[in-house]
Amino acid sequence: MLSVIIPAYNEQENIKNTACVISGILQQAGIDYEIIFVDDGSKDSTWAEIISAHEADTNVRGVRFSRNFGKEGAIFAGLKAAQGDCAVLIDCDLQHPPELIPNMYSMWESGAEVVEAIKASRGKESLFYKLFAKSFYKMMKSSSGINLDGASDFKLLDRRAVDALNELPERMTFFRALSSWVGFRTEKIEFDVKPRAAGKTKWNFTKLFKFAVNSITSFTNLPIHLITAVGIIFGIFAAVVGVQTLVNYFCGNAAEGFSTVILLILIVGACILIGIGVIGFYLSKIYEEIKQRPRYIVAERVGEGRKGEQNERTDRS
Ligand code: UDP
Ligand code: MG
């Protein structure tokens, strides 16, 4: 069985259509499936739509969060609830073409354990967004070695990869990179991003920026090492300037050079502050992880799944 996991946040216009389109495609391809909607604390009638989608087709199941925990939490809740032999993650707005699922499924049948759908084109996005995404991916690549160019959350994962992800203990996750971090036989397939079926994008700049910083710091320690590197460079610089100052002092022309002092204080001060900021950021992440808070809290569920009992021991994860 194939589990289709769909995170949904304020997607009332899309639920019914998305469920129909995906189940239509899978039925036509003769694939046994379940669809799991994860309602990420929507404020509109998304949950009611999910319930009625379940009533129309019992292959549709739903998990509802007690509040908005973010797409990452929704993805992991879906992975936990999935009972299939493999799982596909797809957006609710049909920007990821569901027609591709049967292809991905047949790649899985012929041995692929992770099938990543790569964006051949990025669809309609503002120049600013494109630039932001590009520099973010560049940073991720140079710092963690994982190439995310064109990567999306549209992926098929074998049960083994799903289990591996479910076992990860960390709270701060970055699914897009983690799915390639777990390894396994990976194949790629290309797709073109389509415009949203309905509704508006759920991201704004603050949300995106937070997502980017979180992803980078949860994947690499490079920013912390950078501080050390900058510190060493400034140390050398300070030694040179120090020698020069001493020479000046002993030659008796020490009165000059106030501008250098001011500049040095400013630059070094700024570096120290940035450094403390970065260390503070990692510290706060350690703090977050150490609290061992759940990634999400489930408020309600609809649909039991084929294996009867939901395959989770607890609602908190
Ligand atoms: N989403 C979510 N929680 C959030 C934000 C988004 O579950 O806090 C879901 C949303 O419902 C959609 C998917 O993540 O299914 C992608 O969101 P969106 O289409 O807004 O992002 P974009 O395609 O613009 O990057
Ligand atoms: Mg979208």
Side-chain angles (χ1 to χ4, degrees):
M1 181 175 63
L2 166 72
S3 303
V4 181
I5 300 165
I6 313 176
Y9 177 50
N10 295 343
E11 302 276 10
Q12 56 181 13
E13 307 95 336
N14 287 323
I15 301 287
K16 196 170 161 215
N17 180 40
T18 304
C20 285
V21 170
I22 292 179
S23 48
I25 288 170
L26 293 176
Q27 276 163 13
Q28 207 174 19
I31 299 172
D32 186 23
Y33 69 95
E34 62 173 358
I35 296 179
I36 303 168
F37 281 106
V38 184
D39 177 358
D40 186 9
S42 301
K43 292 180 186 69
D44 60 3
S45 54
T46 300
W47 183 242
E49 287 290 327
I50 293 173
I51 291 176
S52 66
H54 165 72
E55 279 158 4
D57 175 2
T58 46
N59 287 332
V60 175
R61 297 163 55 197
V63 176
R64 184 161 82 106
F65 285 178
S66 58
R67 65 165 170 88
N68 180 238
F69 280 92
K71 191 180 177 187
E72 289 288 311
I75 290 174
F76 277 84
L79 289 175
K80 204 110 210 209
Q83 298 182 342
D85 305 309
C86 61
V88 163
L89 270 137
I90 188 164
D91 277 2
C92 197
D93 52 11
L94 295 180
Q95 281 192 294
H96 299 153
E99 310 84 78
L100 229 58
I101 298 178
N103 295 0
M104 292 163 89
Y105 188 80
S106 57
M107 284 162 93
W108 172 74
E109 282 181 319
S110 47
E113 287 167 304
V114 176
V115 182
E116 303 197 6
I118 302 292
K119 290 176 193 160
S121 69
R122 296 194 57 99
K124 249 177 87 184
E125 278 170 352
S126 68
L127 186 74
F128 176 73
Y129 188 100
K130 264 187 194 147
L131 228 89
F132 186 78
K134 244 210 157 88
S135 42
F136 168 64
Y137 287 149
K138 262 227 167 83
M139 241 150 101
M140 276 303 276
K141 192 177 177 192
S142 58
S143 58
S144 69
I146 291 178
N147 184 9
L148 287 173
D149 205 17
S152 70
D153 288 335
F154 187 21
K155 290 175 202 287
L156 180 143
L157 303 168
D158 179 65
R159 169 77 358 215
R160 291 208 289 159
V162 173
D163 287 342
L165 285 170
N166 280 341
E167 272 164 28
L168 291 178
E170 71 227 58
R171 315 280 112 188
M172 301 269 190
T173 50
F174 181 39
F175 174 72
R176 212 167 288 189
L178 278 176
S179 62
S180 73
W181 179 86
V182 291
F184 295 113
R185 228 166 311 135
T186 304
E187 279 176 33
K188 297 197 160 109
I189 186 166
E190 286 202 339
F191 75 97
D192 287 312
V193 178
K194 288 194 286 198
R196 228 172 193 283
K200 281 198 303 251
T201 174
K202 305 296 178 291
W203 297 94
N204 54 33
F205 180 71
T206 349
K207 234 176 161 177
L208 262 180
F209 189 76
K210 250 170 114 175
F211 179 68
V213 174
N214 261 333
S215 313
I216 290 175
T217 48
S218 65
F219 243 85
T220 149
N221 290 327
L222 189 82
I224 279 194
H225 298 321
L226 266 179
I227 300 174
T228 325
V230 172
I232 291 170
I233 293 168
F234 270 91
I236 295 168
F237 185 61
V240 173
V241 177
V243 170
Q244 189 213 17
T245 315
L246 280 178
V247 170
N248 277 349
Y249 179 76
F250 286 118
C251 295
N253 40 10
E256 276 176 42
F258 273 123
S259 39
T260 329
V261 172
I262 293 168
L263 269 179
L264 272 179
I265 289 175
L266 286 178
I267 296 171
V268 172
C271 287
I272 291 174
L273 283 181
I274 294 171
I276 293 176
V278 176
I279 293 171
F281 199 84
Y282 277 93
L283 218 86
S284 73
K285 286 182 71 74
I286 294 172
Y287 176 61
E288 291 292 327
E289 294 284 351
I290 227 159
K291 279 191 289 192
Q292 291 277 308
R293 291 242 175 100
R295 273 182 211 139
Y296 52 82
I297 296 169
V298 173
E300 258 175 283
R301 290 174 190 277
V302 61
E304 283 234 308
R306 210 73 52 85
K307 296 184 181 154
E309 272 288 292
Q310 301 254 0
N311 61 345
E312 295 170 58
R313 241 166 276 133
T314 112
D315 269 355
R316 309 175 102 229
S317 182

